[in-house]
Amino acid sequence: MNLKELLQNQPRYKQDQIWQGKFDSHLNSYDQITTLSKDLREKIKDFPWLSVKPILLQKSKDGNTVKALLELSDGQTIETVLMGRVNKRETRENEFRYTICLSTQVGCPMNCAFCATGKMGFKRNLSVDELVDQYRFWQRHLAEKDGGEVDNIVLMGQGEPLLNYDNVKEALNLFIKYGKIGQSKITMSTCGVIPGMKKMIEDSDFPPVRFALSLHSAIPEIRKKLMPSHADNFFEFLIDWSKQYHAKFTSRTQFIGLEYSFLSGINDDDKNLKALIKLASKLGRVRINLIPYNDTTGIFVGSDMEILKKWQKKLMDSGFTVTIRLSQGQDIAAACGQLRNDQIS
Ligand code: SAH
C-alpha cells in the first residue's frame, strides 16, 4: 500500500493535516506534524517522509542552475532542475525567483529525434509521491540555502506528462492546494498525446494550469520525422481541440503555448515559418516560445540566434506574442532535452 491508498480511507481533514505537514519545509518527519492523532501517526510511520533521494547535485558555472539526480525506492533514477533568476522588479527580501523543472516518468517512450531522454528508453511512470517529492526536495533545498521559495513549476523534465495522466493530475492539484502555487505558475508541456489532451478538456478535476505543446514544425512530414509520436491527423485535431480548450479555459492567463526548438536546415526555413503562422492563426490565443537547440545527439545543429530573432520579428508582425527562451544550465546538461541520467550509465 502506498500513502495515497492509505489516505483514501481517512476523513478529509486528516488528509489535509498530513499534506499540510508534508508541504511545510520546516518539518522533517511525520512525528513533527503535531496535529496528527497518535493512531494515524502510528499507521504512517513506515511510509518514507521523502520518496526521492539525492545522489548527485551539479551546479552550473554561474551558480544559477542546479541539476539533481534523484534515486527512487526501486533504484531507478530521474533528474530534476532548479533555475534561479534575479527579478529586481518586485521587492522581496530574496530577489531570486525560482523555477523547478520536474520529470513525470523514468525515461520516456516518445523518442523524439533531438531529445536525450528518449535515448534512455521508457522505464515507468512516476507515482504521485515521486512527483510531489521532487517539489518538496527543492523546497527544502531552497529553505536551507537562502530562504528562497519555489515560484514556478514546469513539467518539462524527463517523460511525457499526459502518458501519466492520473498521477500528474493529482500532483498538480496537490501543488495548487497545499503548495500554494497559483495555477498560472505551473506549466505542463506535452508532445501532443491525443487521448490525454481530450481527457483534460472533458475532466472537471483537471486543474487550469498553463498548457504548452512541443511543436517544432507545423509541416506534418517534418514534425513526424522529428517526433515519431506525431499522429497523421494531429494538426486537424489540434485546431478543433483548441476551440474546446478556449471554451473551457477562458481566463486571460490561459493560452496555448507553442514550443519550437531550432534545428539548422531542418525546421528553420521560410516554408516552416509560413506553416507556423498559418497553423498558429487557427489556434486562438497562443504564445510562441522559440527555443535555442541544446546539443544532445551530435546529429543536429542549432540555428543561429539571428534566425530566431528574425522569426520572432516576423511572428510579432503577424500579431503573435513571441518569446525567445533563455536557456540555462547547458554546462551541466540541465537544459531542455539534455536530461538523461548519464552520470551513472
Ligand atoms: N514530453 C514533454 C515534456 C518534455 S518538455 C514534451 O515534449 O513537451 C521538454 C521540452 O524541451 C520540449 O518542448 C522538448 O521538445 C524540448 N527539447 C527536447 N530536447 C531539446 C533540445 N535538445 N534542445 C532544445 N529543446 C529540446
Side-chain angles (χ1 to χ4, degrees):
M1 199 199 299
N2 59 35
L3 181 61
K4 181 184 146 200
E5 282 156 1
L6 177 105
L7 290 182
Q8 260 160 14
N9 305 320
Q10 296 292 329
R12 254 261 79 93
Y13 81 95
K14 289 197 181 181
Q15 298 187 25
D16 281 345
Q17 288 172 337
I18 293 187
W19 283 115
Q20 273 155 9
K22 289 193 80 157
F23 274 89
D24 182 339
S25 59
H26 303 295
L27 303 188
N28 293 311
S29 73
Y30 290 111
D31 272 345
Q32 293 177 336
I33 310 179
T34 49
T35 46
L36 291 189
S37 62
K38 239 196 190 145
D39 67 316
L40 187 53
R41 208 172 302 171
E42 192 55 31
K43 274 196 195 130
I44 61 172
K45 75 173 191 318
D46 292 332
F47 290 104
W49 174 249
L50 198 65
S51 61
V52 299
K53 190 170 111 201
I55 49 177
L56 185 69
L57 280 186
Q58 287 174 284
K59 213 181 222 194
S60 63
K61 278 198 204 88
D62 64 11
N64 290 341
T65 306
V66 188
K67 180 169 82 167
L69 183 66
L70 302 176
E71 190 177 57
L72 312 175
S73 59
D74 59 356
Q76 300 281 2
T77 52
I78 51 165
E79 289 183 327
T80 172
V81 181
L82 169 75
M83 292 163 284
R85 222 166 255 173
V86 176
N87 182 346
K88 291 215 159 84
R89 273 177 303 173
E90 290 170 53
T91 44
R92 193 165 88 181
E93 213 166 289
N94 183 333
E95 62 182 7
F96 268 92
R97 292 290 164 275
Y98 291 104
T99 297
I100 57 172
C101 178
L102 307 187
S103 292
T104 54
Q105 300 182 312
V106 182
C108 184
M110 305 310 268
N111 210 12
C112 299
F114 46 82
C115 179
T117 306
K119 308 286 171 281
M120 292 170 49
F122 170 68
K123 304 279 168 34
R124 68 170 174 85
N125 279 332
L126 294 185
S127 68
V128 175
D129 281 343
E130 289 161 346
L131 291 164
V132 167
D133 286 355
Q134 292 174 68
Y135 168 90
R136 291 176 60 239
F137 166 73
W138 288 123
Q139 198 193 14
R140 282 164 174 73
H141 174 91
L142 288 174
E144 275 167 32
K145 188 178 149 240
D146 59 7
E149 286 168 23
V150 174
D151 297 288
N152 302 286
I153 301 176
V154 296
L155 302 189
M156 297 190 185
Q158 295 166 321
E160 168 49 51
L162 285 180
L163 291 181
N164 187 10
Y165 184 92
D166 290 333
N167 291 346
V168 164
K169 176 175 94 174
E170 189 157 338
L172 292 175
N173 281 321
L174 290 168
F175 291 142
I176 293 167
K177 184 157 184 204
Y178 301 104
K180 306 276 185 303
I181 300 255
Q183 59 211 27
S184 64
K185 303 275 182 177
I186 304 177
T187 303
M188 181 187 72
S189 175
T190 175
C191 290
V193 178
I194 292 180
M197 287 170 71
K198 279 188 182 158
K199 218 165 154 187
M200 61 173 275
I201 296 280
E202 290 156 8
D203 187 347
S204 59
D205 295 337
F206 197 90
V209 299
R210 289 193 165 172
F211 178 88
L213 173 74
S214 294
L215 184 62
H216 309 315
S217 179
I219 299 175
E221 302 75 47
I222 297 179
R223 188 169 191 267
K224 177 97 188 164
K225 275 200 185 129
L226 295 173
M227 307 177 73
S229 64
H230 177 83
D232 289 340
N233 62 344
F234 183 67
F235 291 145
E236 290 78 14
F237 163 79
L238 179 64
I239 292 166
D240 189 46
W241 179 87
S242 70
K243 295 192 180 82
Q244 298 170 41
Y245 176 90
H246 293 302
K248 177 166 177 180
F249 301 116
T250 52
S251 134
R252 249 183 357 101
T253 61
Q254 296 288 333
F255 49 81
I256 296 172
L258 299 176
E259 298 170 86
Y260 202 105
S261 303
F262 277 77
L263 306 168
S264 181
I266 308 272
N267 65 356
D268 66 346
D269 59 6
D270 285 345
K271 227 171 104 203
N272 273 281
L273 175 58
K274 260 201 200 134
L276 173 60
I277 293 174
K278 194 166 165 206
L279 176 65
S281 62
K282 293 180 187 159
L283 301 180
R285 232 173 17 261
V286 294
R287 209 180 264 189
I288 303 172
N289 195 206
L290 308 180
I291 310 174
Y293 172 66
N294 301 304
D295 192 19
T296 60
T297 56
I299 302 170
F300 298 106
V301 177
S303 313
D304 287 341
M305 190 45 93
E306 286 314 305
I307 296 191
L308 276 73
K309 286 190 182 144
K310 179 184 121 185
W311 276 52
Q312 183 180 36
K313 180 165 183 319
K314 292 231 165 135
L315 288 165
M316 284 167 86
D317 289 346
S318 303
F320 296 107
T321 305
V322 190
T323 49
I324 295 182
R325 182 177 296 171
L326 297 168
S327 263
Q328 278 185 251
Q330 285 99 329
D331 58 330
I332 52 167
C336 295
Q338 294 185 312
L339 303 183
R340 62 178 171 216
N341 303 358
D342 55 353
Q343 298 80 354
I344 54 151
S345 56

